[in-house]
Amino acid sequence: MFNKRNLKWLSVLATIIMAMVQLGGALVTKTGSEDGCGSSWPLCHGALLPQNLPIATIIELSHRAVSGISLIIVLWLAITAWKRIGYIKEVKPLAVISVAFLLVQALIGAAAVIWQQNSYVLALHFGISLISFSSVFVLMLIIFEVDKKYEADELFIKKPLRTLSWIMTVIVYLTIYTGALVRHAKASLAYGAWPLPFDDIIPHTEQDWVQFAHRGMAFITFFWIMITFIHAVKNYSENRTIRYGYTAAFILIIIQVVTGALSVITHVNLIIALIHALCITILFGLIAYFILLMLRSIRSDRRIK
């Protein structure tokens, strides 16, 4: 039943449904539907399907349903990949990480419903689920043999690009955290105009500071990815994996900045906000693939020494 072709389709399904989990979480917070099921979990208002179904309850229930399905699909993929292609060095760690972080994300979501965690704890939810998504995404690339197609399995990333990319990973993750904090702290429209309210540039409230911190991190992220992109394309112009990968990362951060600005300008238009969440999800998945390539290069470096 599980030949290579079926495994490919299973990995695509898992990646898509994990992306839907990310978008569903963003939809819940953007529409203020966190309390759509009250303080009940896994039930909703104490029932499997409550009789009264306002839009907030429908959104929260849908997100819970997709999250539950994602756990089944990702576990299915992890077990199947472990059995079928577990001989590939990265497959087993990725399988474990994808399931483990999905479980942690679900537990944090449940804790948020039952115990009403503060915004700083809730902001971890998106970042943790991103790690699970990225593990599934990279696993899909391995299953589709992208490495062989683009000669990435023979690629050696030198230390300068590895350093730039590790720093990029940390900066992007901090930006993701501050972005999630903006949503959970209800600070999407705090701090005034974009990029800065020049008539009153000093933040005053906690929400102002949260929004200010996120804009600052977004600014740093944009320029750091641009620097990394320029270095990568300049020094690895003959390698398609690096050229395409880092070009895609730069395009995604441009879209991310534009949609972030439009979110403020349009007073958090829902479609723009969801595109914003989708772009950062794909970008982090791409960065996870860069990490895989860098770890291979580090292993090669150690063997040579």
Side-chain angles (χ1 to χ4, degrees), residues 193-252:
W194 191 93
L196 295 171
F198 292 105
D199 57 330
D200 187 13
I201 203 167
I202 299 173
H204 298 288
T205 66
E206 181 182 1
Q207 290 179 320
D208 283 349
W209 280 108
V210 168
Q211 178 64 248
F212 177 77
H214 180 56
R215 291 189 194 183
M217 286 306 305
F219 179 82
I220 294 168
T221 299
F222 173 80
F223 278 98
W224 195 266
I225 290 181
M226 182 175 70
I227 291 166
T228 307
F229 158 73
I230 292 170
H231 174 87
V233 172
K234 182 179 179 182
N235 293 279
Y236 298 81
S237 59
E238 301 302 316
N239 188 281
R240 290 185 299 168
T241 303
I242 295 297
R243 191 169 71 249
Y244 293 165
Y246 282 84
T247 299
F250 186 51
I251 291 171
L252 284 167

Side-chain angles (χ1 to χ4, degrees), residues 262-274:
L262 288 174
S263 290
V264 176
I265 294 168
T266 62
H267 297 280
V268 197
N269 177 276
L270 188 57
I271 300 299
I272 291 171
L274 292 178

Side-chain angles (χ1 to χ4, degrees), residues 54-70:
I55 187 65
T57 301
I58 293 172
I59 291 172
E60 174 64 13
L61 266 178
S62 300
H63 179 54
R64 291 189 188 186
V66 172
S67 298
I69 294 169
S70 71

Side-chain angles (χ1 to χ4, degrees), residues 60-104:
E60 174 64 13
L61 266 178
S62 300
H63 179 54
R64 291 189 188 186
V66 172
S67 298
I69 294 169
S70 71
L71 181 57
I72 296 169
I73 299 297
V74 170
L75 185 59
W76 189 4
L77 173 65
I79 293 171
T80 307
W82 187 296
K83 289 181 177 179
R84 292 289 180 179
I85 56 171
Y87 57 87
I88 300 175
K89 191 175 186 67
E90 297 89 3
V91 166
K92 290 181 179 179
L94 286 170
V96 171
I97 291 169
S98 62
V99 175
F101 276 85
L102 187 54
L103 286 171
V104 172

Side-chain angles (χ1 to χ4, degrees), residues 6-185:
N6 288 337
L7 186 57
K8 285 181 178 181
W9 284 113
L10 182 58
S11 70
V12 171
L13 177 61
T15 302
I16 291 172
I17 199 165
M18 283 302 299
M20 290 173 63
V21 170
Q22 300 300 109
L23 291 178
L27 181 63
V28 166
T29 52
K30 288 295 183 184
T31 57
S33 303
E34 302 95 326
D35 297 324
C37 286
S39 58
S40 298
W41 192 94
L43 299 177
C44 184
H45 292 299
L48 185 63
L49 184 64
Q51 293 182 346
N52 186 25
L53 289 173
I55 187 65
T57 301
I58 293 172
I59 291 172
E60 174 64 13
L61 266 178
S62 300
H63 179 54
R64 291 189 188 186
V66 172
S67 298
I69 294 169
S70 71
L71 181 57
I72 296 169
I73 299 297
V74 170
L75 185 59
W76 189 4
L77 173 65
I79 293 171
T80 307
W82 187 296
K83 289 181 177 179
R84 292 289 180 179
I85 56 171
Y87 57 87
I88 300 175
K89 191 175 186 67
E90 297 89 3
V91 166
K92 290 181 179 179
L94 286 170
V96 171
I97 291 169
S98 62
V99 175
F101 276 85
L102 187 54
L103 286 171
V104 172
Q105 175 241 350
L107 290 173
I108 291 177
V113 171
I114 297 169
W115 294 300
Q116 300 294 309
Q117 302 291 326
N118 65 50
S119 300
Y120 294 90
V121 174
L122 289 174
L124 295 171
H125 190 259
F126 187 74
I128 288 172
S129 60
L130 260 183
I131 294 174
S132 184
F133 165 82
S134 301
S135 302
V136 173
F137 177 74
V138 174
L139 194 54
M140 180 187 69
L141 295 182
I142 292 174
I143 291 169
F144 272 82
E145 298 181 331
V146 169
D147 293 352
K148 293 180 181 178
K149 189 178 295 183
Y150 292 98
E151 298 90 33
D153 53 337
E154 300 174 1
L155 171 65
F156 182 82
I157 300 177
K158 298 175 184 177
K159 193 170 182 179
L161 182 56
R162 293 206 306 256
T163 302
L164 287 168
S165 298
W166 283 120
I167 295 172
M168 178 177 71
T169 303
V170 174
I171 291 172
V172 168
Y173 202 75
L174 288 173
T175 305
I176 288 167
Y177 176 79
T178 58
L181 186 57
V182 164
R183 294 206 310 262
H184 288 290

